[in-house]
Amino acid sequence: VPRGGSYVQDKWQDRVLHTNVTAYLTDRPWCGELERLLRDKLPEMHLTSQFTESMYEIQTTATVQAHHDEYMDLQAVFDECVPNKDDIDLKPFESFYFDGKLVGIPFVYSPRVMFYNPAVLAEAGCPPPEAGWDWDDFVKRIKLLRNRIEPERIIYWTTDPYYWINIVLRCGGTLINPGLADPVRIDSQETVRGLELYRELGQLVNRGLNQTVYADFFEKRNMAFYIGGRDCVARLRKEGWKELGVVPLPGIAGGVDTTMQVTELLCVRKNCVNMAAVRVLLRLLLSKSFQENLARLKYGIPVLKSAAAEGLDSADSQDALFLQEAAKVRRHYNLDSPSLFDMIAKGIRICLESDMDIRPGLAQLANAVRTYMAIKNNSWSLSVYQPEKEVVNV
């Protein structure tokens, strides 16, 4: 301000700065390596998690799919920077194409599995889970733990979509299936069952009590179970913890053996004009040095096949499990607009937090989504306002 000094603007976190690389979290083990590379190749860039948006962002699966229309098509720059893709695992890229446009470049991914703490289970006299266990086995362990330890030490439970969607998928449910005549599956028998099972889990662990204690309880070796991806392995190793257990998510009778992909990827806002910086960022994230650093950290599965091969030892039981589960992942929430994503997420959160029958609520939510989608694709008026046909007597 002339003659008045300098001030921090109100709502500074909402400013979109051209020299920021916003990461959803900057406590990831790879952040130090990326900052080092930025200082060397793009010293004007600043890695931060303090701004809600930036010109360049490192985001996660659901966020990018919901907000895909805000990001530019990176296919041309990807082809320019990586003309030979023989060493790139392109499967994680598949769920980030919208209308033929590649809106994000994944650099690491993982399936979700069940982590457990053998020491906490032993303390409570609870047997560790084994591969092939099912939901009934899981609930029995939860009930046993509930009688022996504090609820917040049992499992991290949250109403965030990235968490409960895994149980819905394993029941054979989903939220939207574009291939069906009625694509909305929120009120399908399989989806309702998955949400009911997940809500039952929350009730068993006094839902809501432990939503803010994951870092203090699981990473500090005080929690029994946690659903997460291979990114957790690096964070737990950083804490000096190597004796954690890992098994697939519990099976559900009549369901599907699948899990949701965890992805971290580079996105660029449509109003970006500095394509030179985009090229440098893309080359850094897909570089052999950065990808091999991910492999050494055991942080997820690098998209560079050679780096992934270095970081995953098929003779190691944990690595073998992640390789096995990676072949089963689903990659798409099918919530491809922010408003639709928010409506479904908030509606299901209300249902999960309720103690009443959730089926009527899910039915109302599903019908609201059907109307929303019909209006969006211009088919709603045809179903509601059919022209009256003239009746002719013959």
Side-chain angles (χ1 to χ4, degrees), residues 174-349:
T174 190
L175 300 176
I176 296 173
N177 184 341
L180 299 179
D182 177 10
V184 179
R185 306 298 296 159
I186 295 168
D187 55 350
S188 70
Q189 179 180 341
E190 296 82 3
T191 303
V192 171
R193 183 185 178 211
L195 291 170
E196 285 179 334
L197 290 178
Y198 189 73
R199 184 177 69 157
E200 175 194 6
L201 175 62
Q203 291 168 338
L204 287 172
V205 297
N206 293 9
R207 62 177 176 232
L209 285 183
N210 62 334
Q211 291 195 29
T212 60
V213 297
Y214 160 61
D216 290 335
F217 278 74
F218 196 76
E219 289 190 9
K220 302 300 182 185
R221 314 183 196 190
N222 285 318
M223 186 180 284
F225 290 108
Y226 180 72
I227 297 173
R230 195 170 183 258
D231 55 301
C232 297
V233 174
R235 300 204 302 274
L236 297 173
R237 281 164 57 92
K238 187 177 178 182
E239 295 290 333
W241 185 14
K242 298 181 181 179
E243 59 274 7
L244 76 155
V246 185
V247 290
L249 296 175
I252 298 174
V256 179
D257 186 10
T258 187
T259 183
M260 201 72 190
Q261 176 175 290
V262 184
T263 326
E264 293 177 24
L265 62 165
L266 172 68
C267 306
V268 181
R269 297 210 160 263
K270 285 184 173 179
N271 54 339
C272 176
V273 294
N274 188 355
M275 294 307 296
V278 176
R279 295 183 186 93
V280 175
L281 275 170
L282 179 56
R283 288 188 174 111
L284 290 180
L285 291 171
L286 297 183
S287 67
K288 193 172 182 65
S289 63
F290 185 76
Q291 291 280 304
E292 288 180 347
N293 182 62
L294 293 172
R296 285 191 297 272
L297 293 169
K298 291 187 175 290
Y299 188 92
I301 301 175
V303 297
L304 202 65
K305 294 177 185 177
S306 55
E310 285 186 26
L312 287 160
D313 179 3
S314 58
D316 179 279
S317 60
Q318 287 188 11
D319 285 356
L321 175 68
F322 279 103
L323 285 168
Q324 165 193 302
E325 296 301 300
K328 304 174 184 176
V329 294
R330 289 271 297 277
R331 298 181 167 89
H332 210 299
Y333 289 78
N334 289 315
L335 300 177
D336 60 356
S337 75
S339 49
L340 186 61
F341 182 91
D342 290 344
M343 181 169 72
I344 293 176
K346 289 176 182 177
I348 290 179
R349 184 190 69 216

Side-chain angles (χ1 to χ4, degrees), residues 40 45 65 79 92 99 150-151 171 195 234 390:
D40 184 38
M45 290 293 178
Q65 290 180 355
D79 291 340
D99 299 323
E150 300 89 339
C171 282
L195 291 170
E390 183 179 355

Side-chain angles (χ1 to χ4, degrees), residues 29-143:
W30 50 260
C31 287
E33 175 67 7
L34 181 57
E35 286 176 324
R36 185 188 68 78
L37 292 171
L38 289 175
R39 284 194 299 271
D40 184 38
K41 303 294 184 181
L42 282 172
E44 70 275 17
M45 290 293 178
H46 175 62
L47 184 66
T48 177
S49 61
Q50 299 301 305
F51 289 77
T52 54
E53 295 179 2
S54 287
M55 199 58 64
Y56 318 96
E57 297 179 2
I58 293 174
Q59 287 290 3
T60 56
T61 311
T63 300
V64 175
Q65 290 180 355
H67 295 261
H68 68 90
D69 196 44
E70 300 172 18
Y71 300 114
M72 69 164 50
D73 182 5
L74 295 175
Q75 185 67 62
V77 70
F78 180 44
D79 291 340
E80 178 186 342
C81 294
V82 191
N84 183 352
K85 299 179 178 62
D86 290 346
D87 198 27
I88 300 286
D89 184 353
L90 293 174
K91 281 198 169 295
F93 289 68
E94 292 173 359
S95 54
F96 302 105
Y97 281 95
F98 292 86
D99 299 323
K101 299 174 182 177
L102 180 61
V103 299
I105 303 291
F107 59 88
V108 68
Y109 73 101
S110 173
R112 282 195 172 90
V113 297
M114 182 71 78
F115 292 95
Y116 66 91
N117 186 328
V120 173
L121 295 183
E123 172 193 338
C126 179
E130 299 176 350
W133 68 324
D134 61 22
W135 190 263
D136 289 339
D137 297 328
F138 180 42
V139 170
K140 287 176 185 176
R141 286 170 170 79
I142 296 296
K143 289 180 176 178

